Amino acid sequence: MNLLPKNEWLDGEDLVGKLMNTFWDDRKMSVDIRDLDDYYEVKADLPGFEKEEISVHYSNDLLSIDAEHTAENEVKDDGRFVRRERSSSAYRRQFVVKNIIEEKISAKFENGVLTLQLPKADDEEKKNKAITID
């Protein structure tokens, strides 16, 4: 016999899982990728970061965006700490993006938004190579 009605939203494991998923969703780097005619445009939101705290790498068809920020806030009263707070945040996103001309990738960081342009390789470069059978 069940004395209390079962509330789906109060189910222990499910509730914790939903809370954790919401927590991590709020803490990830938001990225938009657009497929344009000649290139892919990637925009990553990184508010509060400086350009020096961001690194972008492209290797073996893998685009990696890393950002790491550390801040320290101190409030002193007569040389003793009344409060000292430190925070750090780090983000990493990776995407498989094929057929890119690596030498022509460009990046700019403005108003908390990282914008990348990844030029596509020509159609001739994309064609499969025929293999001769001996």
Side-chain angles (χ1 to χ4, degrees):
M1 179 197 296
N2 191 359
L3 299 176
L4 297 173
K6 182 177 180 181
N7 290 324
E8 294 296 325
W9 64 273
L10 283 177
D11 187 18
E13 187 174 337
D14 191 41
L15 176 63
V16 172
K18 286 180 182 178
L19 287 173
M20 290 306 292
N21 286 339
T22 302
F23 174 78
W24 290 116
D25 283 346
D26 291 343
R27 301 189 59 84
K28 69 180 181 183
M29 176 191 329
S30 295
V31 177
D32 296 329
I33 301 176
R34 292 183 353 162
D35 184 354
L36 301 169
D37 291 335
D38 298 334
Y39 63 94
Y40 295 102
E41 180 184 70
V42 178
K43 288 193 175 193
D45 292 338
L46 293 164
F49 284 86
E50 299 294 328
K51 181 172 77 169
E52 297 76 23
E53 299 172 320
I54 302 167
S55 65
V56 179
H57 300 280
Y58 183 79
S59 179
N60 298 322
D61 297 333
L62 187 66
L63 174 68
S64 299
I65 304 171
D66 297 290
E68 188 170 347
H69 177 72
T70 302
E72 192 168 305
N73 182 20
E74 295 180 10
V75 178
K76 293 183 181 183
D77 183 18
D78 295 332
R80 293 188 208 152
F81 287 108
V82 174
R83 186 182 74 208
R84 184 175 188 178
E85 296 178 359
R86 290 172 289 304
S87 66
S88 65
S89 56
Y91 299 105
R92 179 179 188 108
R93 298 290 305 269
Q94 294 184 316
F95 305 94
V96 173
V97 188
K98 297 183 177 187
N99 298 318
I100 299 300
I101 305 170
E102 294 181 42
E103 310 80 51
K104 294 186 179 180
I105 295 174
S106 65
K108 73 176 181 177
F109 184 66
E110 195 171 63
N111 297 325
V113 178
L114 173 68
T115 303
L116 305 172
Q117 286 189 354
L118 294 88
K120 297 177 184 178
D122 292 335
D123 287 337
E124 291 180 18
E125 295 176 30
K126 291 182 188 177
K127 289 182 182 176
N128 293 331
K129 180 181 175 187
I131 308 295
T132 304
I133 301 173
D134 293 327

